[in-house]
Amino acid sequence: MFLGALVDAGVPLSHLAEVTAALNVGARLEARAVMRAGITATKVDVLVPAHLHEQETGTEGLRDQGTDSGHAHTHSHVHLHSHEDSHLHSHVHDHDHPHEHDHEHAHSHENDHAHTHEHSHSHDHEHSHSHEHAHPHEHRSLSAIVGIIRGAALDEGVKAWAIRGFEMLGEAEAAIHSMPVEEVHFHEVGAVDTIVDIVCAAAGAKWLGVDKWVASDLNVGSGTVKCAHGMLPVPAPATLKLLGDAPVYAAGPAMERVTPTGATILKMLGVEYATLPRMRVSASGYGAGGRDTAGEPNVLRVLVGEDANANENEEKIAILETVIDDSTPQLVAYVSELLLAAGAWDVYRVPVQMKKGRTGVQVTVLCAPKKLEELRELLFRETTTIGAHWRIESKMALRREFSEVQTPWGVVRIKVARLGSGEIANASAEYEDCRKIAEEHGVPLKLVMLEAVQLYAVQCAVERKVL
């Protein structure tokens, strides 16, 4: 549901698909628009190979994580069990087939985000299987999953985020079951789903470029969950451990409403809990659960926007830097042009003195936070650098607008910057317009630029504006 909400809010599905492929765990994503109680939402499914099913029944194809795995579990250990709405529950199972059971989970907690979630999860699944067999399942330890993430060709920040999420999940399970974290193992099918859920959640959140997540209080549900240790209270112990001091409550029918995977994502994002902040919403997204619940949209909502209390002229800027000492000036100039063409706001180069007396050049790229990953990859691909660093800072920018003046040689645009009061702080002729005129008419560029600014000053005076 979280991935669906991210995609609906503008995160490209192709980006999450590339992240999933980079994990090399055999999974893929599918997304489609569905209706949930009259609301159009995006349903994202994680599809994993059905090799365990093939081993048991000879079936082929992919297993949608919204369906039951249908396996005999004759072991007793911690593993992640897949549920209808793609949230995964950590339970200890110890049961043999044949058996029949069905249970429903309906989530209805509402999270309004400043990057805000409004959760209304519901999912059920039924499994009735009478085939009797016992076979060894392949499992993944926490260290193995961390190794998969570290070995993937992904953004280092995304990997660090996701690894910390898995570590928190493993630590919670270890604490609940009184075992070393190294002994926590995840059932393979469930582990694949969870790897994709958590890593894609980290990648999607980073793509949005937000620096703060806010959620409402969490409706964790009530009742019990039957596990190998007996009847456990809702929320499940691991969920409660992960939520820590998050504000929780229980409302509605007795059922589980927050799962360990969902709690892991919230903790991984560093969510703050509060009412909907004062904000200017720029995008919203609805992620669908597996069921269409009557009278209660089974969706999770994400709102993306700017803090309305912040200065309206303030925005976030990504600063990407690297130092190169083994390249030619021509190559660095070429790469600078590529960066600008790819969407960088600005690129500048500064000569620097490096170790062992070598002279190098520091390349600094200014861009929107969401362009950071793309431009960083361009730097690595096109230059000889093997390292780069970046940071997100605040930028104060005056409100900008364009005007036009008619020069003797043609029209020139004037970029105008205004203070908060509306007073004009600066005006400059657009370089490309002036350059084109200079080349076409054989007029010095400086003369064209000076003439354009003077004409705009006269225009301002006529209109009783202050320049």
Side-chain angles (χ1 to χ4, degrees), residues 45-248:
D45 293 313
V46 180
L47 305 180
V48 300
H51 60 281
L52 295 181
H53 290 268
E54 295 168 16
Q55 178 180 352
E56 298 179 17
T57 65
T59 59
E60 298 181 353
L62 294 171
R63 185 185 69 84
D64 186 328
Q65 73 166 11
T67 62
D68 177 57
S69 59
H71 286 198
H73 301 152
T74 58
H75 44 274
S76 179
H77 67 279
V78 177
H79 70 274
L80 297 183
H81 188 56
S82 171
H83 288 272
E84 177 68 27
D85 71 348
S86 82
H87 284 283
L88 304 177
H89 299 245
S90 282
H91 297 319
V92 179
H93 291 257
D94 190 1
H95 50 262
D96 296 314
H97 292 275
H99 68 277
E100 295 185 4
H101 60 281
D102 60 73
H103 56 284
E104 298 185 356
H105 309 286
H107 296 227
S108 61
H109 54 285
E110 296 183 353
N111 291 0
D112 282 323
H113 272 236
H115 327 305
T116 303
H117 304 226
E118 186 167 292
H119 296 239
S120 177
H121 309 229
S122 72
H123 49 264
D124 66 357
H125 66 271
E126 300 180 359
H127 27 283
S128 174
H129 25 306
S130 59
H131 52 283
E132 290 191 46
H133 49 268
H135 64 275
H137 284 303
E138 186 177 342
H139 303 90
R140 285 194 171 104
S141 65
L142 177 60
S143 61
I145 293 175
V146 169
I148 290 172
I149 299 172
R150 282 183 176 152
L154 295 172
D155 174 87
E156 291 299 323
V158 169
K159 289 197 282 190
W161 223 352
I163 287 171
R164 184 55 192 141
F166 255 104
E167 288 174 344
M168 291 186 293
L169 177 58
E171 289 164 2
E173 291 288 0
I176 295 303
H177 299 287
S178 297
M179 63 171 65
V181 69
E182 296 80 12
E183 295 181 13
V184 174
H185 285 70
F186 301 89
H187 183 267
E188 183 177 355
V189 174
V192 169
D193 293 338
T194 313
I195 292 170
V196 174
D197 280 340
I198 292 177
V199 177
C200 283
K206 183 157 189 178
W207 188 93
L208 286 175
V210 302
D211 57 2
K212 183 179 181 180
W213 291 85
V214 181
S216 67
D217 296 355
L218 302 175
N219 182 2
V220 295
S222 60
T224 57
V225 176
K226 186 176 182 180
C227 298
H229 297 292
M231 301 298 291
L232 297 180
V234 170
T239 300
L240 197 59
K241 184 77 174 176
L242 286 161
L243 293 179
D245 62 355
V248 299

